[in-house]
Amino acid sequence: MKEAARMNGKTAVCFDVNQTLVQQGLSFEQSFRGVWQDYTARWLQEQTPSQEALWAAYITRWQQRKKARTTFKQLDELQQQCLREALLELGVPISTSLARSFMEELRRQQVGAKTLMPRTPEILEKLSQTHRLAIISNSPRSEVLLMLRRFGLTGYFPEERIFTASRPAEKKPASSLFRSALQALGVPPRQAVMVGNSWKHDVCGAVKAGMDAVWLNPGVHPTAAGARTVSEQRLGKRRVVLIRELGQLTDLFP
């Protein structure tokens, strides 16, 4: 590892969660359909909307709400609202509590199907000895907390260092979520680095906030030097280091 590629002078390391610390097992749609199937199997009603009909109604509502960006609801609440509206459209009104339990079960199924990226606990343990660790995620806060508890990572990420969007306009790559995290952590942008798998959300968002970034991209074609080669580029005035596996982080920080 060349010294130039190291992330010197950093006091905080921020992580995305999905496809960065944990690997996806079930998509939101797969979990949504599965939970609806479980719910309808317990109901005595003969006529209930099919998975296809409910998913189509839900995703239409979600895209409308997301595009409008006029709501200040928490993401969890917005999803529950879209579910209630979709079911009402299909002639099956449900209570707020039932919509909440539906989404909670959906998240449990999603989290239950996820797995940790290789060497994640080892990497976080090493980094936590010299850096403050934080989460910056577009996922609902409840889902992030559930994942951290499931994988035993709460010791590395106390709740005051978990930053999630409370409304669509705050989601990455908007710089506001990164700036909120930096302010709460008490570090200037140049002393923090963002680690994530999305070029658009994690890398570009961090750079807009004045941070350097580490882009985790397993799909990048390895060079002749081998699969573990680390490369670096500039995005504006900020550094972006590309890694192909999370374990390479241990080479970046002194």
Side-chain angles (χ1 to χ4, degrees):
M1 169 68 62
K2 294 181 179 179
E3 185 64 27
R6 292 186 181 274
M7 287 287 182
N8 296 308
K10 305 300 181 187
T11 59
V13 183
C14 303
F15 290 88
D16 183 38
V17 181
N18 285 305
Q19 300 305 107
T20 300
L21 296 178
V22 302
Q23 303 177 81
Q24 185 100 337
L26 291 173
S27 68
F28 182 89
E29 179 179 354
Q30 288 173 313
S31 298
F32 186 100
R33 289 173 177 269
V35 173
W36 181 242
Q37 183 176 5
D38 291 344
Y39 269 54
T40 55
R42 300 196 297 264
W43 291 357
L44 299 178
Q45 297 172 258
E46 293 184 3
Q47 298 295 328
T48 56
S50 66
Q51 295 177 31
E52 290 74 17
L54 179 57
W55 173 252
Y58 171 85
I59 202 64
T60 297
R61 291 283 183 176
W62 175 254
Q63 293 296 344
Q64 290 172 344
R65 297 289 184 184
K66 182 180 178 182
K67 184 177 181 180
R69 291 179 179 269
T70 57
T71 180
F72 287 86
K73 289 180 178 290
Q74 294 285 336
L75 297 180
D76 287 4
E77 295 176 356
L78 183 57
Q79 289 175 330
Q80 293 166 30
Q81 179 182 344
C82 291
L83 175 63
R84 293 197 306 273
E85 292 175 353
L87 283 168
L88 183 61
E89 176 185 324
L90 296 170
V92 185
I94 64 170
S95 66
T96 300
S97 61
L98 187 57
R100 182 170 56 251
S101 67
F102 182 100
M103 286 299 173
E104 288 174 350
E105 178 59 27
L106 185 153
R107 300 211 191 290
R108 280 193 291 269
Q109 288 196 14
Q110 273 197 297
V111 171
K114 294 178 187 291
T115 56
L116 275 179
M117 288 289 190
R119 298 181 59 199
T120 295
E122 169 195 342
I123 295 159
L124 295 179
E125 177 61 30
K126 180 178 178 181
L127 288 175
S128 68
Q129 295 175 16
T130 52
H131 298 75
R132 302 184 73 187
L133 307 185
I135 296 289
I136 302 178
S137 174
N138 279 347
S139 297
R141 187 175 184 84
S142 59
E143 181 180 326
V144 173
L145 293 172
L146 191 60
M147 281 191 285
L148 295 178
R149 286 196 295 269
R150 181 189 174 222
F151 293 115
L153 303 181
T154 54
Y156 302 114
F157 302 104
E159 290 198 31
E160 65 271 16
R161 287 197 235 144
I162 299 172
F163 305 95
T164 57
S166 60
R167 60 185 190 227
E170 293 178 351
K171 294 178 72 172
K172 299 178 295 184
S175 62
S176 57
L177 194 57
F178 296 93
R179 296 187 189 281
S180 295
L182 292 170
Q183 183 177 8
L185 292 169
V187 297
R190 295 194 177 190
Q191 289 184 16
V193 61
M194 179 68 194
V195 181
N197 70 296
S198 171
W199 177 267
K200 176 183 177 181
H201 294 143
D202 300 314
V203 175
C204 294
V207 167
K208 283 194 294 185
M211 299 167 61
D212 290 337
V214 176
W215 185 30
L216 174 62
N217 189 344
V220 171
H221 185 70
T223 67
R228 285 187 57 81
T229 298
V230 172
S231 61
E232 181 180 341
Q233 60 183 288
R234 288 276 174 175
L235 189 58
K237 297 181 179 180
R238 306 315 311 157
R239 298 172 60 200
V240 178
V241 175
L242 185 150
I243 60 176
R244 300 187 70 251
E245 57 187 60
L246 198 64
Q248 290 175 285
L249 280 181
T250 58
D251 298 328
L252 297 182
F253 296 92

